[in-house]
Each structure stands twice: as structure tokens, then as C-alpha cells.
Amino acid sequence: MRQAPYPIARRLLAALVALAPIGAAAAQDAAPGRITGTVSLASASSRRLATPGAYPGRRVSPVSEREASELRNVVVFVRLSGAQAAPAARVVVRQTDEEFVPHVVAITRGSTVEFPNDDIVFHNVFSLSRAATFDLGRYRKGATRSVTFTRPGIVKVYCHLHSHMSALVRVFDHPHFTVAGGDGRFTLDGLPPGSYEIVAWHERVGEAHTAITVASGSASQVAFSLPLKDP
Amino acid sequence: MTPPLRSAAPRLVVWLTGVSFAVIGGVLALVFVLLSWQTRAGIVTAAAAELERSQQWFAEIESRRAREWRLQAMTLAENPTLKAAVDTYLTETAAGAPPEELLPTIDQELAKLAEVLDAQALAVVDVDGRVLSAGGPTSPDWRRGQLVPELQHTDATIGAAVVAASRLYLATYVPLTIGADRVGAIVSAVPLDVAYAEGLASGARADVAVVHDGRIVASSSGVPPGLDGARLARQEPFEADGELLVVRRLMAVNATHTYAISSVTQAAAVATAGLTRVFLGVGLVALVLAGLASAWMARLLSRPIARLTTSLAHMTDTRDLRQPLPRDGVILELDALADRFNALRAAVLQAEDESDAAYAGVIGALAAALDARDPYTAGHSQRVASLAVLIAETLGMPGDACETLRLGALLHDVGKIGINDAVLRKTTRLTSEEFDHIKMHPVLGARILQPLEFLRPHIPVVELHHERPDGRGYPHGLVGDAIPLAARIAHVADAFDAMTSARAYRPALPASHALEELRRHAGSDFDARVVEAMIEVWDARLAPVGGVVSIDPLPFRNPSDYISSVRSRAAARDSRLVAS
């Protein structure tokens, strides 16, 4: 495990490890294993603004909801050295109330993300990221544009017209990843038995990783707390 | 002529002009100094208030400018490309793969914006205060990766004093936010150096000093040396190098303050310069007027005095006290002086006349005494005088000449005082020596009268009353008209009275005989015209009264009569003069 790349606000640092044993799956030889666990954010990001900046916030959702939904922005994945074949998918990231919803999506390489515009204003989706550089141009309510991501990596997505909007697309070249739920729970299915490095990653807070052994047909449990304390 | 003045004392004009000029000048100078001082004090107060007002005004402008500056930076912080590039770079760098290809985009964007905003430095820092990129002229101070501690974890959007590459900057810090998250900050900064101070100074029209941690780190050229931050922090007027300075804080950020410093003295000097010119002009005109007035006054006083002096000098030169001093009618005191002098002059004249009369009385008495020495000649001088006047009147001689003749005839034998009684009284025939002795008496008489100035007109009568028209007379043997008429008249009158008077050696001749004798010697011994006149006098004036020569006009019987006659004559001459 290594230290998160960003410093964290000391005031809110509190490790929370909530390990909830889940019903064990039936043990089967060579059957894929499962990893379940929870992610908790021990603190708000030190980057979180006390004040919304130059312009008043246009966010519709209340702050508490936003804090809770931050767990949905945590990507949990298995770090693998090689690529594995994975089916392409089609994912939708809506532009609603001047926000990308969902804020974070994780997809396999070759998948396509649609960016429909639900707002009455124009949006202009673009990215400067190395994994996918694109500019979808301006389009009105009801229209949609899509991007097919062909390289693994982190893709930050913005709107040229609304600089507070951002989304994140994490592209993997294997199928062993997921995004935590609003309650912090996650499940990784279909892992062959073996030892893995499992990573939980948040774009602002950084990542936490841990080694885990997956037994055939069994469920392993792991709990992440982000950010991590110094050992 | 009166000798020129030898006194080294200054003229009255100089005195009067000098004194009044000095007094007026002194008063003017005093008034000038007082007014100038009071006005200067007022102007200093007004200038101080004015400077404080303008500094306050400028401070407000400055704070508004800072606010606008911050708003500009805030607008910049909403630049989507910049934000996307920065966020993408930071996120991917954190994930272990720095996208270096984004940096030129960010650098270029910042350089462009810095140029548009005319910013000295426009930088992007991450949340740790580490410089990511910078644009603008001073961007070399903002090296990539450099940590600016003051910009670490700050929420401030206000100005901050930061040190980048050991230079002090005034920074406007605006967070770059995406959603509710701060990903870094955009920093617009200006170095707090001399150029900054000079720029502010030209705007504030005052000198500007930048103080950091109580130490002056930059100042415009006019800030006096030796100032310290504490002195400025009090923001109270103070004196430096003899100038009154007012101080106002323009900006305060953390430990960094800028102060405007203005010289009240200089501001006041500009205002008082015009006033001084006016004062000097008015003072100069007043001094010139004072000088003219003084000169006029001095002339007013000195001219009558000079006129009096001239009159006195003229009197002295001509020895003539008859002309009274003129009254000027301008100055009471000078008129009084002239009047007093005229009174004095009249008194002196009177005294002179009296002393003349007294002297003449003495001489006359002497003559009478001489006559009285010899009973045969008693009354002779008085009779000759009366007779001579009668003859002169008959000949139409002017009154003045008659008077001269009268006294001359009266004194004609005064020289006989130097002749021996024995010779004078001798009844027998005189020897030629004795006769020569007798003949000295006209010259002796002239010599007696010579020292007396007022008797000099009579001398010819005395000296020449024995000259004869034929030149055989004595003492000089003058001929004809060379002998003054008065002397010729006296000669005839003398001879007539001598012949009609008894002598020790003969009885008196009858008048007819004497007249015959005169007529016989007319032209040789006596002047023919005078003899004719004598005969006419006898016929018309003396014969009717029995041949008695009246001695009525003779003054010597009673000297005071003569004195009053002299006085009346003087009064007649001075009739046009004002009597005191």
C-alpha cells in the first residue's frame, strides 16, 4: 500500500473500517471467486470548497446527498498486468442540471459512452486526456453525442460552456472492475482463484490497494478506507 | 556771499524720507511677515487636509482596482480550457502518468491571458502551492515545481503577499474549482518593487513606500531616507528634513502594507508662491508710495525752510535788514518763525537806528560844542545846515540828498576839533603856517567821520566844503563839477554865515554886503548857480523875516526829535512791509 498522492485534511481524518461479513458462496474448484467489500471515505477531500468560488453554485442536489454520492465516484478494480478480453458496453452519462450524471463511469476498452443533453442550455463535451482526446461540439437539449473509448486509462470529461462540470471515464482492458454503490458496497465477480492486488481509487483522494487471495468459488472480503492513514 | 555750508549732517529731505520710509517699510515688513506666516499656517492645514482627502480617495480607488483585479482573476478561473487542462494534468499526474503534452497548452493559455490582462505574472498552482505554469514578464520567478508556501491550502480569494524566487509579490489568488472541488488556483501577481511603488506614486501623486514585516522593501524616489515601517504604520503627520509629511495606508495584506506619503510643505509652497508674489508686489508698490509720500512731505517742510534760509542769506549778503522775511502760509510754525524773525529784525533795525541817532547826536553835540568854543561861531553849524537845506530846496534837490546835506553841513567843521584854539581864536592876521593848519580841518573831519558807516554819505560835504570852482580851494583843489553840489552849497552857506556873523576882528557885514560879495566871487570862489539860489533864498525866505535864519529843522537841540524823524523815514520806506 502506498500513501495517497494528495495530502488530506487532518481535521476529518478518521479511519473507518466497516467489515460486513456476507454470506459465503459455495466452494467450487476452479469456479471463479468473488470479492465483496465496502469503501468508506474517511474525510471529505481537502479540496472541497467551503465556498463555491466565484460563481454561486447552480447545483440542485443538497450537500449531504452530494457527500453520500461521493462513494459512487470510487472505482474498485483489480490491477492486472495483461489485457483480457472483455465485452464492449454502451453507457450513458447524462448532462442534467449542468452536471454529468453519473460523475464516474468505468468501462471496458471499446465501449461507447453516450452524452445526451437533458438541459435547456447547450453543452459542449470535450476531453484533453491522453487516453481519449475529443471534442463533441455544442449540442442542444435532446441531442446526444457519443464517444468510443479505445485506450485504457483515465479520461477526464468537461463541458466547454460550463467549467464547473466534469465527468470521469475510467477505461480498463479487462473486465474486473466496478464502481462502488451509494452505500459503499461493491462486488467483483468472476475472478479466477489466485492472488490479486485490488485497488480502490477516487480521482481527488487517490487510491488504496491491498493484496487478496481469491479461492475458487469463495468470496473474499475487503474493506477500503480512503484516504489511507500513514502506516 | 554767504560761505557754503560745512555741516556733514544729512539734509532734512534725507532725514524725513529716511525716517518715514524706514517706519512705513518696517510696518509693511512686519505686516507682510505676520500675514505670510498666518496664511502659510492656514495653507499648511488646508494642504494637509487636502492631501489626506486625496490619499483616502486614492486608497479607495486602489481597493476598487484590487477588487476588479480579483474579479478579472475570478473570470480567468472560469476558463474551461485552462481548468480542463489543469485538472486533467493533475489527475493523470496523480495517477502516475503525467500528461506532459498538456503543459504547453497551459503555458500558452497563461501567457496569452497574462498579455491580455497586462499581468506581471499569471500562474497556476496546485492545492499545495506548487507552481504548475506561469505567464507574464516575471514568469521566470514562477518556475514549474517551485513551492510558494503562502499559497498552500488557502481559501483566500483576497490579495496575498507571496515570495516567489525571493521576490515579494502582491498576489490575487483565485481557486480553480471543478464542481465543488478545488483543483488548484490561479494567481495574478505583481512584484512589490520600485516600479510598483513608482507606478502607485504617479497615480496617487504622492510618494509610496512598500513595507513588509515592518521593513521598507521598496519605495518611490521621493520617500525620504531613514523612514521605518513603524513610523509609517502610525499614519500620523511627521517632520522629516524640515518637511511636514502626511501618511495614509493604501493597502494592507498580511504583513505587507503600502503607504502614500505626501509633503504638505511642498504642496503649501506651491500655494504660497503666488501669495508671496502678490505680497511682494503690494509691498513694493506700498514702499514706492511711501517713498513718494515721504519725499513730498520732506519737500513741503524743507522748501519753506530753504526759502527762509535764502532770505536770511540774502539779508546777510546785502546787509539789508529792510526786507522782511516772507510768510509762506503753508506751515503754521514756519510762519510763526518768520513773524518772530521779522519782529526781531524790526527791533534790531530800531536799535540800529537808535544807535545811529545816538551816535549822530554825539557827533552833532561835538560840533555844537566846537562852535561854542568860540562865541563868534556859536550856532554857526546849525545855521549853515539850515541855510544849505534852504538853498538845496531852491535848487530842487531831492529830499534824501537834502537830508544828507543837512547832516553834512551840520558836521562840516567837525575837523576843527583837531585845530588849536589859539589858532582858531586868534584875532590877528594868521600866518601862512597857521592858515595851512586851519586848512586841514576838512580832511580831519572826513577822517573823524570815516569809521562810521552811516555817516559816510556826509563825508563829501565835510571834506569838500572849502573847494572852489576855479580849483583854488582846499584840500584837493577840485574844479567845477568835480565838486559835489552839496559841497558847493555848503561852501556858499558857510561863507554867507561867516560874513554875516561878527568876528573878533570885525563886525558882522550886512546881508546885502555879503550877498554882493558872493555875487562878486560867483564862478570863481563860489558856484554861480548856488549863489543865485542863495540870493533867491535871501530875497524870498530870509529878508521877509528880518534876515534871521530859522534853525527849526535842526535835530541836535533834541536828539530824540531826530530819532523819531529817522524812524518815520524808515517807516515810510518800509510802508509796504508788514509791521509786527
Side-chain angles (χ1 to χ4, degrees):
Chain A
M1 295 205 296
R2 71 182 178 90
Q3 172 63 48
Y6 295 112
I8 52 177
R10 296 157 192 80
R11 59 189 172 98
L12 293 174
L13 190 67
L16 173 68
V17 178
L19 187 60
I22 305 167
Q28 283 180 354
D29 283 347
R34 157 187 285 198
I35 298 172
T36 60
T38 56
V39 173
S40 64
L41 282 170
S43 70
S45 166
S46 65
R47 300 144 164 262
R48 187 54 42 89
L49 287 172
T51 54
Y55 299 114
R58 296 155 87 174
R59 216 171 293 279
V60 182
S61 48
V63 174
S64 57
E65 197 178 313
R66 220 165 61 230
E67 289 294 339
S69 71
E70 211 48 48
L71 288 170
R72 296 185 199 276
N73 296 337
V74 176
V75 180
V76 181
F77 61 93
V78 177
R79 183 165 286 159
L80 294 173
S81 53
Q84 292 182 10
R90 196 167 189 89
V91 177
V92 175
V93 175
R94 312 197 74 85
Q95 296 168 81
T96 303
D97 294 336
E98 294 183 15
E99 277 193 67
F100 288 106
V101 180
H103 178 64
V104 171
V105 291
I107 56 172
T108 54
R109 188 169 64 173
S111 297
T112 299
V113 177
E114 280 192 43
F115 295 97
N117 182 359
D118 292 342
D119 285 338
I120 55 167
V121 296
F122 277 78
H123 286 297
N124 183 343
V125 179
F126 75 103
S127 173
L128 302 172
S129 292
R130 188 184 289 168
T133 305
F134 58 88
D135 185 351
L136 299 183
R138 298 187 179 104
Y139 50 98
R140 69 178 73 241
K141 178 182 170 80
T144 184
R145 304 269 166 98
S146 60
V147 178
T148 300
F149 294 86
T150 55
R151 295 173 66 189
I154 299 166
V155 178
K156 298 278 287 188
V157 178
Y158 306 95
C159 172
H160 246 318
L161 305 179
H162 305 93
S163 69
H164 56 275
M165 293 170 64
S166 76
L168 186 126
V169 180
R170 181 113 200 203
V171 185
F172 295 96
D173 54 0
H174 62 81
H176 306 296
F177 58 86
T178 188
V179 175
D183 55 359
R185 289 177 189 279
F186 64 88
T187 304
L188 284 170
D189 279 327
L191 274 170
S195 291
Y196 298 102
E197 186 185 14
I198 186 162
V199 180
W201 176 83
H202 183 277
E203 58 170 328
R204 305 284 178 220
V205 184
E207 65 179 28
H209 44 175
T210 185
I212 194 165
T213 302
V214 175
S216 176
S218 68
S220 302
Q221 283 125 25
V222 66
F224 289 105
S225 176
L226 287 173
L228 290 178
K229 277 203 296 185
D230 289 331
Chain B
M1 281 300 293
T2 320
L5 277 173
R6 290 276 161 76
S7 173
R11 297 168 62 90
L12 180 63
V13 175
V14 176
W15 267 113
L16 283 174
T17 310
V19 169
S20 56
F21 191 77
V23 168
I24 294 172
V27 169
L28 273 177
L30 192 67
V31 166
F32 173 78
V33 167
L34 284 177
L35 270 181
S36 176
W37 176 73
Q38 199 192 2
T39 314
R40 187 172 285 271
I43 284 177
V44 164
T45 311
E50 178 60 31
L51 283 175
E52 288 202 19
R53 260 201 304 282
S54 68
Q55 284 177 3
Q56 194 170 5
W57 177 77
F58 185 76
E60 278 171 24
I61 298 256
E62 244 338 81
S63 74
R64 191 174 306 168
R65 206 166 69 105
R67 215 156 48 231
E68 282 168 7
W69 196 22
R70 200 169 75 236
L71 284 173
Q72 277 182 343
M74 284 172 148
T75 310
L76 290 188
E78 295 302 319
N79 181 307
T81 308
L82 187 64
K83 277 165 75 171
V86 169
D87 189 34
T88 302
Y89 179 84
L90 292 174
T91 305
E92 295 188 16
T93 301
E100 301 296 338
E101 72 274 9
L102 278 179
L103 288 175
T105 305
I106 300 171
D107 288 347
Q108 199 182 348
E109 195 72 8
L110 284 177
K112 189 181 74 190
L113 292 171
E115 199 178 326
V116 168
L117 290 178
D118 198 21
Q120 289 289 305
L122 198 60
V124 168
V125 296
D126 66 15
V127 286
D128 296 333
R130 203 176 303 277
V131 176
L132 180 62
S133 174
T138 61
S139 55
D141 282 353
W142 302 75
R143 277 186 344 272
R144 179 167 296 137
Q146 186 192 345
L147 194 67
V148 182
E150 294 87 350
L151 300 179
Q152 203 169 5
H153 301 302
T154 174
D155 248 5
T157 56
I158 55 166
V162 303
V163 177
S166 56
R167 271 174 93 179
L168 186 67
Y169 278 84
L170 175 64
T172 296
Y173 172 95
V174 179
L176 283 174
T177 60
I178 299 210
D181 290 334
R182 184 170 61 232
V183 297
I186 189 156
V187 178
S188 179
V190 59
L192 293 175
D193 55 8
V194 173
Y196 174 82
E198 293 287 1
L200 267 188
S202 71
R205 272 179 286 180
D207 282 305
V208 170
V210 179
V211 176
H212 182 67
D213 280 338
R215 199 167 48 84
I216 294 180
V217 292
S219 59
S220 59
S221 57
V223 172
L227 273 187
D228 55 19
R231 163 61 63 77
L232 293 173
R234 285 200 289 275
Q235 296 193 68
E236 285 165 358
F238 65 94
E239 292 247 3
D241 287 343
E243 291 195 26
L244 183 63
L245 303 172
V246 289
V247 178
R248 159 102 27 202
R249 186 161 59 207
L250 296 179
M251 183 204 77
V253 174
N254 307 345
T256 306
H257 304 239
T258 55
Y259 295 95
I261 303 156
S262 308
S263 168
V264 174
T265 311
Q266 277 175 23
V270 172
T272 49
L275 199 74
T276 305
R277 272 200 294 279
V278 169
F279 270 139
L280 282 182
V282 169
L284 207 63
V285 169
L287 279 183
V288 167
L289 287 180
L292 290 176
S294 307
W296 179 78
M297 240 168 69
R299 257 167 67 85
L300 192 71
L301 257 178
S302 64
R303 207 156 47 171
I305 291 176
R307 202 152 46 220
L308 285 184
T309 309
T310 308
S311 299
L312 285 174
H314 184 254
M315 276 180 198
T316 315
D317 287 345
T318 59
R319 306 185 61 86
D320 180 11
L321 290 179
R322 305 287 162 193
Q323 291 288 336
L325 281 181
R327 289 182 62 150
D328 203 64
V330 175
I331 296 164
L332 179 72
E333 286 81 358
L334 284 179
D335 281 355
L337 180 65
D339 287 350
R340 292 327 313 164
F341 181 82
N342 283 333
L344 175 67
R345 185 187 56 87
V348 167
L349 276 178
Q350 183 182 335
E352 196 179 53
D353 284 350
E354 281 174 3
S355 82
D356 284 0
Y359 205 89
V362 168
I363 300 290
L366 191 63
L370 275 175
D371 288 348
R373 273 200 306 188
D374 180 355
Y376 293 102
T377 61
H380 168 71
S381 291
Q382 291 162 15
R383 285 194 303 277
V384 168
S386 295
L387 199 52
V389 169
L390 288 174
I391 296 169
E393 283 172 358
T394 304
L395 285 170
M397 190 180 268
D400 280 1
C402 285
E403 288 306 313
T404 305
L405 173 59
R406 184 202 302 276
L407 194 54
L410 192 63
L411 300 176
H412 73 280
D413 273 345
V414 79
K416 284 185 175 169
I417 198 169
I419 306 300
N420 267 337
D421 274 7
V423 179
L424 275 182
R425 289 184 181 170
K426 192 172 174 188
T427 54
T428 56
R429 194 164 181 84
L430 293 175
T431 66
S432 78
E433 288 80 15
E434 285 166 345
F435 194 62
D436 283 347
H437 185 52
I438 287 276
K439 277 155 78 175
M440 283 171 66
H441 82 269
V443 175
L444 281 176
R447 205 175 290 163
I448 287 166
L449 300 185
Q450 191 68 37
L452 301 173
E453 174 75 27
F454 81 103
L455 290 176
R456 272 182 201 154
H458 313 292
I459 288 176
V461 176
V462 175
E463 188 174 3
L464 305 174
H465 72 276
H466 280 295
E467 295 287 350
R468 290 167 42 156
D470 59 2
R472 296 174 62 195
Y474 61 89
H476 306 303
L478 298 180
V479 177
D481 288 347
I483 309 159
L485 179 60
R488 284 179 263 158
I489 292 171
H491 185 39
V492 170
D494 183 29
F496 180 78
D497 187 67
M499 286 189 282
T500 53
S501 298
R503 288 292 184 266
Y505 47 86
R506 61 157 170 86
L509 292 178
S512 58
H513 190 165
L515 289 175
E516 187 55 36
E517 197 67 16
L518 287 177
R519 191 179 291 123
R520 194 145 50 86
H521 291 98
S524 57
D525 203 339
F526 307 107
D527 184 277
R529 259 176 67 223
V530 175
V531 171
E532 286 305 311
M534 177 62 225
I535 291 166
E536 197 181 324
V537 165
W538 176 261
D539 290 344
R541 306 282 298 274
L542 300 179
V545 294
V548 176
V549 176
S550 162
I551 53 170
D552 181 50
L554 291 180
F556 302 111
R557 291 263 168 81
N558 186 354
S560 65
D561 290 346
Y562 180 71
I563 288 159
S564 55
S565 88
V566 168
R567 258 190 215 162
S568 64
R569 271 186 288 136
R573 268 203 304 268
D574 300 348
S575 61
R576 63 188 170 87
L577 306 178
V578 182
S580 58

